[in-house]
Amino acid sequence: SHWNCSIKGRADIVIGCQKSNEIHCLAVIECKSEEIPLTNQVFHQCEVYANELSAEYIIILNGIEMDCYHVDQNCAYEPLFEIPIYKN
């Protein structure tokens, strides 16, 4: 998706949510094939998109593994063990 993004490249999936009549980026998802391991390079690729879009979550997956992270207020990445349930 090239949604509100000024960088080259694109995120595979961007999930938005409405807050105060504006659409905000909730999560950026990077999808890889089964042959591609979830390395720091894959994480960094998704991190670039997430930072540009101010996403709250980063999810990277390859059909075998899935890593999910919450981005806190200090822009630190907290690993999560499952995708959180969205609540308004």
Side-chain angles (χ1 to χ4, degrees), residues 9-80:
R10 62 170 184 80
D12 291 328
I13 301 170
V14 175
I15 300 173
C17 65
Q18 187 169 348
K19 291 183 181 177
S20 303
N21 294 327
E22 291 185 23
I23 302 296
H24 293 274
C25 181
L26 182 63
V28 174
I29 303 172
E30 186 63 29
C31 306
K32 298 297 183 188
S33 68
E34 293 177 355
E35 299 83 31
I36 299 177
L38 302 182
T39 62
N40 285 338
Q41 183 179 359
V42 173
F43 174 84
H44 179 68
Q45 179 185 2
C46 194
E47 177 186 28
V48 169
Y49 303 136
N51 288 341
E52 179 72 19
L53 298 171
S54 299
E56 294 180 40
Y57 296 93
I58 290 176
I59 302 169
I60 57 175
L61 53 96
N62 65 4
I64 298 172
E65 298 177 89
M66 179 189 72
D67 293 337
C68 183
Y69 302 87
H70 177 255
V71 184
D72 70 17
Q73 294 174 335
N74 298 319
C75 295
Y77 297 94
E78 173 190 357
L80 302 175

Side-chain angles (χ1 to χ4, degrees), residues 1-11 14 53:
S1 171
H2 295 282
W3 180 52
N4 292 334
C5 200
S6 62
I7 59 175
K8 258 186 165 179
R10 62 170 184 80
V14 175
L53 298 171

